[in-house]
mmCIF file of all heavy atoms in Angstrom:
data_model
loop_
_atom_site.group_PDB
_atom_site.id
_atom_site.type_symbol
_atom_site.label_atom_id
_atom_site.label_comp_id
_atom_site.label_asym_id
_atom_site.label_seq_id
_atom_site.Cartn_x
_atom_site.Cartn_y
_atom_site.Cartn_z
ATOM 1 N N MET A 8 -8.204 16.576 13.353
ATOM 2 C CA MET A 8 -7.327 15.488 13.773
ATOM 3 C C MET A 8 -7.355 15.419 15.296
ATOM 4 O O MET A 8 -6.752 16.247 15.976
ATOM 5 C CB MET A 8 -5.893 15.724 13.279
ATOM 6 C CG MET A 8 -5.758 15.862 11.781
ATOM 7 S SD MET A 8 -4.030 15.801 11.224
ATOM 8 C CE MET A 8 -3.253 17.002 12.279
ATOM 9 N N ASP A 9 -8.075 14.452 15.824
ATOM 10 C CA ASP A 9 -8.121 14.249 17.277
ATOM 11 C C ASP A 9 -7.103 13.164 17.604
ATOM 12 O O ASP A 9 -7.413 11.975 17.619
ATOM 13 C CB ASP A 9 -9.530 13.850 17.709
ATOM 14 C CG ASP A 9 -9.660 13.698 19.217
ATOM 15 O OD1 ASP A 9 -8.632 13.853 19.911
ATOM 16 O OD2 ASP A 9 -10.768 13.419 19.693
ATOM 17 N N MET A 10 -5.871 13.574 17.846
ATOM 18 C CA MET A 10 -4.779 12.617 18.012
ATOM 19 C C MET A 10 -4.945 11.745 19.253
ATOM 20 O O MET A 10 -4.392 10.649 19.329
ATOM 21 C CB MET A 10 -3.445 13.364 18.059
ATOM 22 C CG MET A 10 -3.166 14.200 16.812
ATOM 23 S SD MET A 10 -3.151 13.214 15.291
ATOM 24 C CE MET A 10 -1.763 12.157 15.606
ATOM 25 N N ALA A 11 -5.720 12.218 20.218
ATOM 26 C CA ALA A 11 -5.898 11.440 21.447
ATOM 27 C C ALA A 11 -6.578 10.104 21.182
ATOM 28 O O ALA A 11 -6.375 9.136 21.928
ATOM 29 C CB ALA A 11 -6.699 12.241 22.462
ATOM 30 N N LEU A 13 -5.891 8.014 18.976
ATOM 31 C CA LEU A 13 -4.908 7.000 18.606
ATOM 32 C C LEU A 13 -4.325 6.306 19.823
ATOM 33 O O LEU A 13 -3.761 5.206 19.706
ATOM 34 C CB LEU A 13 -3.787 7.625 17.767
ATOM 35 C CG LEU A 13 -4.218 8.275 16.447
ATOM 36 C CD1 LEU A 13 -3.012 8.799 15.697
ATOM 37 C CD2 LEU A 13 -5.002 7.304 15.583
ATOM 38 N N LEU A 25 -0.065 3.018 10.107
ATOM 39 C CA LEU A 25 1.237 3.392 9.547
ATOM 40 C C LEU A 25 1.399 2.874 8.117
ATOM 41 O O LEU A 25 2.110 3.480 7.308
ATOM 42 C CB LEU A 25 2.361 2.860 10.432
ATOM 43 C CG LEU A 25 2.526 3.554 11.785
ATOM 44 C CD1 LEU A 25 3.568 2.834 12.625
ATOM 45 C CD2 LEU A 25 2.907 5.018 11.606
ATOM 46 N N ILE A 28 0.154 5.572 6.016
ATOM 47 C CA ILE A 28 1.096 6.689 6.046
ATOM 48 C C ILE A 28 2.281 6.417 5.122
ATOM 49 O O ILE A 28 2.719 7.283 4.358
ATOM 50 C CB ILE A 28 1.547 6.948 7.499
ATOM 51 C CG1 ILE A 28 0.447 7.696 8.255
ATOM 52 C CG2 ILE A 28 2.871 7.708 7.556
ATOM 53 C CD1 ILE A 28 0.708 7.894 9.719
ATOM 54 N N LEU A 42 10.647 12.133 5.645
ATOM 55 C CA LEU A 42 9.956 12.506 6.878
ATOM 56 C C LEU A 42 9.525 11.254 7.649
ATOM 57 O O LEU A 42 9.751 11.151 8.861
ATOM 58 C CB LEU A 42 8.733 13.362 6.554
ATOM 59 C CG LEU A 42 7.772 13.646 7.720
ATOM 60 C CD1 LEU A 42 8.444 14.539 8.758
ATOM 61 C CD2 LEU A 42 6.486 14.310 7.204
ATOM 62 N N ALA A 46 11.077 9.722 11.171
ATOM 63 C CA ALA A 46 10.139 9.609 12.286
ATOM 64 C C ALA A 46 10.131 8.206 12.876
ATOM 65 O O ALA A 46 10.120 8.025 14.098
ATOM 66 C CB ALA A 46 8.737 9.983 11.821
ATOM 67 N N LEU A 53 7.229 5.887 17.842
ATOM 68 C CA LEU A 53 6.806 7.238 17.485
ATOM 69 C C LEU A 53 6.417 8.021 18.727
ATOM 70 O O LEU A 53 5.718 7.503 19.595
ATOM 71 C CB LEU A 53 5.593 7.177 16.552
ATOM 72 C CG LEU A 53 5.838 6.704 15.127
ATOM 73 C CD1 LEU A 53 4.515 6.355 14.470
ATOM 74 C CD2 LEU A 53 6.551 7.765 14.328
ATOM 75 N N SER A 54 6.853 9.269 18.780
ATOM 76 C CA SER A 54 6.356 10.150 19.827
ATOM 77 C C SER A 54 5.032 10.741 19.362
ATOM 78 O O SER A 54 4.761 10.815 18.153
ATOM 79 C CB SER A 54 7.355 11.273 20.090
ATOM 80 O OG SER A 54 7.390 12.163 18.969
ATOM 81 N N PRO A 55 4.166 11.195 20.283
ATOM 82 C CA PRO A 55 2.895 11.812 19.883
ATOM 83 C C PRO A 55 3.079 12.996 18.938
ATOM 84 O O PRO A 55 2.310 13.165 17.984
ATOM 85 C CB PRO A 55 2.282 12.243 21.220
ATOM 86 C CG PRO A 55 2.862 11.294 22.217
ATOM 87 C CD PRO A 55 4.262 11.039 21.741
ATOM 88 N N ALA A 56 4.104 13.807 19.177
ATOM 89 C CA ALA A 56 4.326 14.988 18.332
ATOM 90 C C ALA A 56 4.686 14.584 16.906
ATOM 91 O O ALA A 56 4.203 15.174 15.935
ATOM 92 C CB ALA A 56 5.416 15.864 18.930
ATOM 93 N N VAL A 57 5.533 13.569 16.789
ATOM 94 C CA VAL A 57 5.938 13.100 15.458
ATOM 95 C C VAL A 57 4.775 12.431 14.748
ATOM 96 O O VAL A 57 4.572 12.628 13.535
ATOM 97 C CB VAL A 57 7.140 12.146 15.580
ATOM 98 C CG1 VAL A 57 7.414 11.456 14.252
ATOM 99 C CG2 VAL A 57 8.374 12.912 16.033
ATOM 100 N N LEU A 58 3.989 11.662 15.476
ATOM 101 C CA LEU A 58 2.831 11.010 14.864
ATOM 102 C C LEU A 58 1.855 12.050 14.316
ATOM 103 O O LEU A 58 1.304 11.887 13.221
ATOM 104 C CB LEU A 58 2.135 10.114 15.884
ATOM 105 C CG LEU A 58 0.969 9.271 15.366
ATOM 106 C CD1 LEU A 58 1.395 8.393 14.202
ATOM 107 C CD2 LEU A 58 0.383 8.419 16.487
ATOM 108 N N LYS A 59 1.671 13.132 15.055
ATOM 109 C CA LYS A 59 0.808 14.209 14.571
ATOM 110 C C LYS A 59 1.339 14.782 13.264
ATOM 111 O O LYS A 59 0.579 15.049 12.323
ATOM 112 C CB LYS A 59 0.707 15.311 15.622
ATOM 113 C CG LYS A 59 -0.143 16.497 15.183
ATOM 114 C CD LYS A 59 -0.215 17.569 16.259
ATOM 115 C CE LYS A 59 -1.022 18.765 15.786
ATOM 116 N NZ LYS A 59 -1.093 19.830 16.823
ATOM 117 N N GLN A 60 2.641 14.943 13.168
ATOM 118 C CA GLN A 60 3.259 15.466 11.949
ATOM 119 C C GLN A 60 3.018 14.528 10.762
ATOM 120 O O GLN A 60 2.724 14.980 9.647
ATOM 121 C CB GLN A 60 4.759 15.655 12.190
ATOM 122 C CG GLN A 60 5.486 16.421 11.100
ATOM 123 C CD GLN A 60 6.951 16.616 11.430
ATOM 124 O OE1 GLN A 60 7.501 15.975 12.352
ATOM 125 N NE2 GLN A 60 7.615 17.493 10.701
ATOM 126 N N LEU A 61 3.107 13.226 11.006
ATOM 127 C CA LEU A 61 2.893 12.256 9.934
ATOM 128 C C LEU A 61 1.433 12.235 9.477
ATOM 129 O O LEU A 61 1.153 12.162 8.273
ATOM 130 C CB LEU A 61 3.306 10.858 10.398
ATOM 131 C CG LEU A 61 4.779 10.647 10.731
ATOM 132 C CD1 LEU A 61 5.026 9.196 11.107
ATOM 133 C CD2 LEU A 61 5.666 11.062 9.567
ATOM 134 N N VAL A 62 0.510 12.282 10.440
ATOM 135 C CA VAL A 62 -0.909 12.296 10.083
ATOM 136 C C VAL A 62 -1.239 13.549 9.285
ATOM 137 O O VAL A 62 -1.957 13.503 8.280
ATOM 138 C CB VAL A 62 -1.789 12.185 11.341
ATOM 139 C CG1 VAL A 62 -3.257 12.411 10.994
ATOM 140 C CG2 VAL A 62 -1.608 10.819 12.002
ATOM 141 N N GLN A 63 -0.700 14.681 9.705
ATOM 142 C CA GLN A 63 -0.967 15.927 8.981
ATOM 143 C C GLN A 63 -0.434 15.868 7.557
ATOM 144 O O GLN A 63 -1.099 16.316 6.614
ATOM 145 C CB GLN A 63 -0.348 17.114 9.714
ATOM 146 C CG GLN A 63 -0.673 18.458 9.052
ATOM 147 C CD GLN A 63 -0.356 19.644 9.942
ATOM 148 O OE1 GLN A 63 -0.179 19.479 11.150
ATOM 149 N NE2 GLN A 63 -0.289 20.813 9.365
ATOM 150 N N ALA A 64 0.748 15.300 7.376
ATOM 151 C CA ALA A 64 1.304 15.173 6.025
ATOM 152 C C ALA A 64 0.416 14.286 5.151
ATOM 153 O O ALA A 64 0.202 14.581 3.961
ATOM 154 C CB ALA A 64 2.718 14.598 6.095
ATOM 155 N N SER A 65 -0.131 13.223 5.730
ATOM 156 C CA SER A 65 -1.033 12.349 4.981
ATOM 157 C C SER A 65 -2.320 13.076 4.608
ATOM 158 O O SER A 65 -2.817 12.965 3.478
ATOM 159 C CB SER A 65 -1.364 11.097 5.798
ATOM 160 O OG SER A 65 -0.317 10.168 5.756
ATOM 161 N N VAL A 66 -2.877 13.806 5.569
ATOM 162 C CA VAL A 66 -4.118 14.550 5.305
ATOM 163 C C VAL A 66 -3.895 15.568 4.197
ATOM 164 O O VAL A 66 -4.719 15.705 3.277
ATOM 165 C CB VAL A 66 -4.617 15.229 6.598
ATOM 166 C CG1 VAL A 66 -5.740 16.212 6.286
ATOM 167 C CG2 VAL A 66 -5.099 14.192 7.598
ATOM 168 N N GLU A 67 -2.792 16.269 4.249
ATOM 169 C CA GLU A 67 -2.514 17.291 3.232
ATOM 170 C C GLU A 67 -2.349 16.674 1.849
ATOM 171 O O GLU A 67 -2.829 17.225 0.845
ATOM 172 C CB GLU A 67 -1.275 18.087 3.631
ATOM 173 C CG GLU A 67 -1.513 18.996 4.835
ATOM 174 C CD GLU A 67 -0.247 19.662 5.349
ATOM 175 O OE1 GLU A 67 0.857 19.297 4.866
ATOM 176 O OE2 GLU A 67 -0.356 20.534 6.235
#
Side-chain angles (χ1 to χ4, degrees):
M8 302 192 309
D9 183 357
M10 301 301 296
L13 300 182
L25 289 174
I28 283 174
L42 170 67
L53 288 165
S54 69
V57 170
L58 185 56
K59 178 180 178 181
Q60 190 178 13
L61 296 183
V62 171
Q63 184 166 344
S65 282
V66 169
E67 290 173 352

